[in-house]
Amino acid sequence: MKFLYIYLIIMNLVALIVTVRDKLAAIGGKWRVKERTLLLIAALGGSPVMLLTMLIIRHKTHKPKFMVGIPVILVFQLVIIYLILHYGNRIL
């Protein structure tokens, strides 16, 4: 379980850094992070901080792919976490 917490902390830090970096690149007209990469980071566990960061810095907030996709990913992840915590001993 400790590994899961460490993994989620790392993924959320990655999500924060990549989202802010992409926003700064967008402002400066520089190389951007692919949307597919941002969604992958969210799917791999970075969705809570990515969504929060997007809302705070107003990044990708006009794109339905992100404003619907990231919350859907987050809900799915929360369901998975609940199932693991609630039924984990029976499954493993």
Side-chain angles (χ1 to χ4, degrees), residues 3 8 11 22 32 36-37 47 49 61 77 84:
F3 171 75
L8 290 174
M11 286 310 299
D22 190 51
R32 304 283 307 277
R36 179 177 32 187
T37 302
S47 60
V49 170
T61 56
Q77 290 170 338
I84 289 171

Side-chain angles (χ1 to χ4, degrees), residues 4-36:
L4 178 62
Y5 294 136
I6 293 169
Y7 171 79
L8 290 174
I9 289 168
I10 290 170
M11 286 310 299
N12 279 278
L13 285 173
V14 168
L16 173 70
I17 292 166
V18 172
T19 305
V20 170
R21 189 223 170 275
D22 190 51
K23 173 69 173 189
L24 295 174
I27 293 169
K30 297 180 180 176
W31 178 84
R32 304 283 307 277
V33 177
K34 292 180 182 179
E35 289 185 351
R36 179 177 32 187

Side-chain angles (χ1 to χ4, degrees), residues 14-85:
V14 168
L16 173 70
I17 292 166
V18 172
T19 305
V20 170
R21 189 223 170 275
D22 190 51
K23 173 69 173 189
L24 295 174
I27 293 169
K30 297 180 180 176
W31 178 84
R32 304 283 307 277
V33 177
K34 292 180 182 179
E35 289 185 351
R36 179 177 32 187
T37 302
L38 291 170
L39 291 170
L40 179 62
I41 292 169
L44 291 175
S47 60
V49 170
M50 183 174 287
L51 180 61
L52 185 62
T53 303
M54 285 171 39
L55 294 172
I56 290 171
I57 66 174
R58 296 175 175 250
H59 187 55
K60 303 275 189 196
T61 56
H62 294 285
K63 292 194 171 242
K65 182 189 296 186
F66 286 89
M67 294 315 296
V68 173
I70 303 290
V72 167
I73 291 169
L74 178 58
V75 168
F76 179 74
Q77 290 170 338
L78 291 173
V79 168
I80 296 298
I81 289 171
Y82 170 79
L83 291 173
I84 289 171
L85 293 176

Side-chain angles (χ1 to χ4, degrees), residues 1 83-92:
M1 201 55 104
L83 291 173
I84 289 171
L85 293 176
H86 194 262
Y87 298 106
N89 293 336
R90 296 178 205 158
I91 295 171
L92 303 174

